[in-house]
Amino acid sequence: MARPSKEKERVEQILVAYGECVARHGVGGATLERTAEAAGLARPLIRHYVGNREALLQRFVTWFIEQSDAELAELEQQLPQQGKARTLVAWLFDPAFADAGTTRVGEALMLAAADDPELARTMGVWSADFTAWLATILAADVPAADTPLRRCVAAGIAALYFNVESHTMIGAAETVRADSRRAAELLLDALDGADGRP
């Protein structure tokens, strides 16, 4: 009887380890050697399961985006039927929901995208998809507001959120987080006003 393949398990192990390396050393410093060490595997196994460094980065970015999409879908399921946008803003700017590792990885990928057109395109789509997702949450709460205004409010909230996450890296997030949450709430107030609500 053939032994069951460990490929899926090994690939996941490697991608998690690579993400740790990217968070710690950036994309340029996330070498196969460091990834192998973090995964507790021999370097030839990294190449066997995911290929060279470029292939590893491509595979990781796909996996990172899939994980991000799954987290957003789960988050959306947990939102209440009424007041989705305000609950979401409260969660986005709550330090309990911050994930420093994911923030570091996202920032490292964005930084590396400056020198990698394909990565820039992929990360641009990822960022735009996040803003579009926010706009769908707003549409559920404020359906009468016009679409361009909802897009603007979603873009503003996304920008505030990413800015707060970047401040987490320098340990200056608390005041910025509180002020940014208030700014996001003011954007929601403007959207409510456009819907004719008091």
Side-chain angles (χ1 to χ4, degrees):
M1 175 186 281
R3 291 165 59 181
S5 171
K6 290 192 170 185
E7 181 173 2
K8 185 175 179 183
E9 175 188 334
R10 285 284 183 254
V11 168
E12 180 97 3
Q13 181 180 357
I14 290 164
L15 294 176
V16 168
Y18 181 73
E20 292 169 2
C21 291
V22 168
R24 192 172 302 124
H25 306 290
V27 171
T31 62
L32 293 180
E33 291 83 4
R34 283 177 168 155
T35 302
E37 183 179 340
L41 298 171
R43 181 180 166 183
L45 286 176
I46 306 296
R47 293 185 70 89
H48 171 75
Y49 284 111
V50 295
N52 63 18
R53 219 169 140 183
E54 291 75 24
L56 176 56
L57 174 60
Q58 289 173 359
R59 191 106 179 236
F60 176 77
V61 169
T62 299
W63 179 80
F64 175 80
I65 290 172
E66 287 170 355
Q67 298 295 309
S68 175
D69 290 346
E71 287 172 10
L72 291 182
E74 184 178 339
L75 186 63
E76 186 171 355
Q77 287 181 346
Q78 295 174 21
L79 290 171
Q81 288 301 314
Q82 300 293 321
K84 287 179 188 248
R86 291 194 182 272
T87 301
L88 180 60
V89 162
W91 290 352
L92 287 176
F93 296 97
D94 185 334
F97 283 83
D99 182 346
T102 300
T103 298
R104 284 191 202 117
V105 169
E107 299 231 342
L109 291 175
M110 291 290 201
L111 186 61
D115 298 318
D116 183 335
E118 182 58 27
L119 181 57
R121 186 197 66 76
T122 302
M123 295 308 292
V125 169
W126 173 73
S127 178
D129 285 350
F130 177 69
T131 302
W133 176 76
L134 287 172
T136 65
I137 302 296
L138 298 176
D141 263 11
V142 195
D146 71 348
T147 301
L149 180 58
R150 281 198 305 261
R151 277 200 319 263
C152 290
V153 170
I157 293 171
L160 289 163
Y161 172 71
F162 285 126
N163 183 57
V164 166
E165 291 301 298
S166 70
H167 276 77
T168 301
M169 311 308 301
I170 58 173
E174 291 319 306
T175 299
V176 173
R177 188 181 301 279
D179 290 344
S180 296
R181 176 177 172 173
R182 181 64 187 127
E185 289 167 345
L186 289 170
L187 287 171
L188 293 178
D189 290 346
L191 194 61
D192 283 346
D195 191 29
R197 299 183 192 185

